[in-house]
């Protein structure tokens, strides 16, 4: 296949980066991804390998904190589309490493935008903003117009990333869009996030590898969707003539307790007998509830989510069961 258009993805080794790379390859793009050096390169590629595309993505060494690596990559690639997905993305860690979070999740965005502005101003740019920016919610259903009230160093950093993207669009005419994505999950979600912790934990209990699952605030509510649906929305944003900001959400909110119930029930287990509440997993400041309106995305992009929470959790549980069985085989 001759690949006409080039896309550059930062965070290509993460959950969304992997699914987005898969989507863009299927659409005929040449896909390049930024990869930071670690002492265990084998682990970095796991998600791309799981999707069977590790050989199809051009990997470029770099780091969001190293402007020279970003500039060199974009100068050479001259990408039609740039997706800035890299970040320190875990809320709980952001209280332990607030400076690292600010460097990657906030300043990393302006490094990318400076790169675009100076060496590839024609590139269309996507910024991975987050529903965590709504934090202590100011309206029961959050839209693009709802005021923000961040509740963690992660959310504060994302807020900078969001506004600097808007500012570079308005200041320099860049085609820069910000997707305010609500939580989205998949079998490739990091194990520290609550959905994956639950699906992995339930599978371990089912297989006799663990006896209990320790969780924090299970009364918190999130608007959960599937990462496969959400990366499609990112691509759709960059196909618009005009750059803009969009909420991407399902419009349904569910407690951690009920999400957990789906996982345990799918395995024929009683959640109440296995879940232990552990205050160690409480956060210094909590986001109690998130619920987004995808009305603008539906009207302007024609985007709607296709995968329900029930389907998502069942897919994740089945994937964790298969993983654990193959490890112990
Ligand atoms: P992941 O944590 O799975 O992936 C994060 C990626 O960023 C990884 O590839 C990681 O590399 C990379 N990265 C981290 N720091 C740096 C750095 N300094 N330089 C270069 N790369 C770096 O996140 P997701 O895929 O779930 O999320 C994608 C983006 O969307 C993130 O920005 C996240 O904050 C945001 N977001 C996610 C939501 C969700 O529900 N998933 C909701 C809203 C926003 P490595 O593999 O080496 O660690
Ligand atoms: P977040 O919305 O980006 O913070 O995504 P998470 O999946 O990390 O957390 C979602 C919600 O689940 C938050 O309100 C957490 O407080 C809550 N939660 C309850 N128990 C846990 C737990 O053990 N781990 C995590 N990560 N979150 C938990």
């Amino acid at each position: 296949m001759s690949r006409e258009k080039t896309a550059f993805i930062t965070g290509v080794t993460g959950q969304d980066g992997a699914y987005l790379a898969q989507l863009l390859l299927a659409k005929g793009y040449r896909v390049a991804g930024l990869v930071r050096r670690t002492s265990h390169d084998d682990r970095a590629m796991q998600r791309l390998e799981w999707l069977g595309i590790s050989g199809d993505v051009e990997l470029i060494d770099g780091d969001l904190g190293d402007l020279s690596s970003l500039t060199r990559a974009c100068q050479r690639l001259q990408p039609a589309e740039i997706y800035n997905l890299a970040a320190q993305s875990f809320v709980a860690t952001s209280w332990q490493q607030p400076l690292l979070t600010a460097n990657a999740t906030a300043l990393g965005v302006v490094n990318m935008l400076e790169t675009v502005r100076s060496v590839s101003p024609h590139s269309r740019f996507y910024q991975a903003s987050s529903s965590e920016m709504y934090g202590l919610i100011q309206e029961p259903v959050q839209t693009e117009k709802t005021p923000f009230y961040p509740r963690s160093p992660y959310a504060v950093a994302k807020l900078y990333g969001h506004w600097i993207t808007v500012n570079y669009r308005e200041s320099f005419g860049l085609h820069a869009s910000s997707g305010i994505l609500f939580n989205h999950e998949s079998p490739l979600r990091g194990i520290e996030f609550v959905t994956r912790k639950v699906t992995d934990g339930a599978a371990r209990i089912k297989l006799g590898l663990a006896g209990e699952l320790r969780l924090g605030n299970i009364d918190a509510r999130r608007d959960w969707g599937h990462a496969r649906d959400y990366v499609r929305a990112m691509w759709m944003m960059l196909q618009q003539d005009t750059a803009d900001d969009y909420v991407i959400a399902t419009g349904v909110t569910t407690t951690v307790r009920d999400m957990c119930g789906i996982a345990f029930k799918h395995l024929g287990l009683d959640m109440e007998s296995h879940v232990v509440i552990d205050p160690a997993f409480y956060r210094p400041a909590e986001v109690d509830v998130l619920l987004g309106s995808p009305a603008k995305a539906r009207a302007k992009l024609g985007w709607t989510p296709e995968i329900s929470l029930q389907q998502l959790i069942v897919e994740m549980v089945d994937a964790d069961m298969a993983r654990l069985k193959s490890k112990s085989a």
Side-chain angles (χ1 to χ4, degrees):
M1 189 190 298
S2 113
R3 297 187 176 275
E4 301 279 319
K5 258 183 161 180
T6 300
F8 180 45
I9 304 174
T10 73
V12 77
T13 56
Q15 169 188 258
D16 291 6
Y19 279 111
L20 180 65
Q22 184 183 48
L23 177 81
L24 296 177
L25 286 166
K27 288 186 182 296
Y29 283 71
R30 168 190 176 210
V31 177
L34 190 77
V35 180
R36 55 182 177 163
R37 176 172 146 66
T38 61
S39 58
H40 41 75
D41 281 356
D42 50 332
R43 283 230 308 267
M45 292 306 121
Q46 269 176 5
R47 291 183 172 108
L48 295 170
E49 277 161 14
W50 202 80
L51 294 176
I53 56 169
S54 57
D56 302 326
V57 176
E58 186 181 331
L59 302 175
I60 298 179
D61 283 342
D63 191 291
L64 278 195
D66 183 340
L67 183 65
S68 65
S69 65
L70 308 176
T71 308
R72 217 176 358 262
C74 288
Q75 194 143 34
R76 179 169 68 76
L77 295 168
Q78 291 297 312
E81 295 168 17
I82 298 175
Y83 296 86
N84 185 37
L85 309 185
Q88 190 303 95
S89 69
F90 187 43
V91 169
T93 292
S94 75
W95 279 284
Q96 308 306 323
Q97 300 188 61
L99 301 179
L100 178 139
T101 302
N103 277 325
T105 308
L107 293 183
V109 186
V110 76
N111 280 341
M112 285 302 299
L113 287 163
E114 273 298 299
T115 294
V116 175
R117 179 186 168 198
S118 55
V119 303
S120 72
H122 59 85
S123 298
R124 295 185 172 193
F125 181 82
Y126 172 85
Q127 169 57 20
S129 290
S130 165
S131 57
E132 288 291 319
M133 300 188 306
Y134 296 117
L136 188 63
I137 54 166
Q138 303 293 296
E139 289 180 327
V141 180
Q142 296 88 58
T143 72
E144 294 77 6
K145 293 193 176 4
T146 303
F148 299 116
Y149 193 137
R151 292 271 280 174
S152 62
Y154 166 80
V156 173
K158 279 287 176 191
L159 200 53
Y160 176 84
H162 174 71
W163 282 119
I164 199 72
T165 301
V166 173
N167 181 259
Y168 269 52
R169 177 170 76 220
E170 293 175 354
S171 304
F172 304 116
L174 299 185
H175 192 294
S177 294
S178 173
I180 306 173
L181 270 54
F182 282 62
N183 297 51
H184 47 280
E185 322 290 314
S186 72
L188 298 184
R189 185 59 144 154
I191 198 91
E192 65 277 28
F193 292 89
V194 75
T195 52
R196 185 70 204 295
K197 183 173 169 181
V198 163
T199 60
D200 174 77
R204 281 176 193 276
I205 292 168
K206 180 71 182 177
L207 295 172
L209 301 171
E212 63 179 29
L213 173 63
R214 303 185 86 81
L215 295 174
N217 174 18
I218 61 172
D219 294 320
R221 291 176 165 271
R222 289 292 182 275
D223 178 332
W224 279 293
H226 196 301
R228 245 191 336 257
D229 277 337
Y230 286 42
V231 299
R232 190 162 40 82
M234 297 175 189
W235 175 79
M236 287 172 139
M237 283 179 222
L238 295 206
Q239 309 317 303
Q240 305 305 303
D241 290 339
T242 309
D244 204 346
D245 308 321
Y246 296 90
V247 163
I248 301 298
T250 68
V252 178
T253 190
T254 307
T255 58
V256 171
R257 185 194 302 276
D258 288 348
M259 175 275 294
C260 198
I262 298 173
F264 277 78
K265 189 166 172 219
H266 179 58
L267 293 174
L269 294 170
D270 172 28
M271 169 186 161
E272 303 300 330
S273 329
H274 298 286
V275 170
V276 176
I277 301 303
D278 184 343
F281 295 105
Y282 291 167
R283 292 171 176 187
E286 178 61 290
V287 173
D288 293 319
V289 55
L290 291 172
L291 171 59
S293 165
K296 179 176 171 182
R298 195 184 307 120
K300 295 210 165 166
L301 304 177
W303 178 85
T304 47
E306 289 170 1
I307 306 166
S308 69
L309 180 62
Q310 170 77 30
Q311 290 169 318
L312 164 69
I313 297 299
V314 165
E315 182 187 336
M316 291 175 69
V317 170
D318 289 347
D320 278 319
M321 285 292 284
R323 271 196 195 102
L324 291 167
K325 280 183 187 161
S326 75
K327 263 190 215 156
S328 61

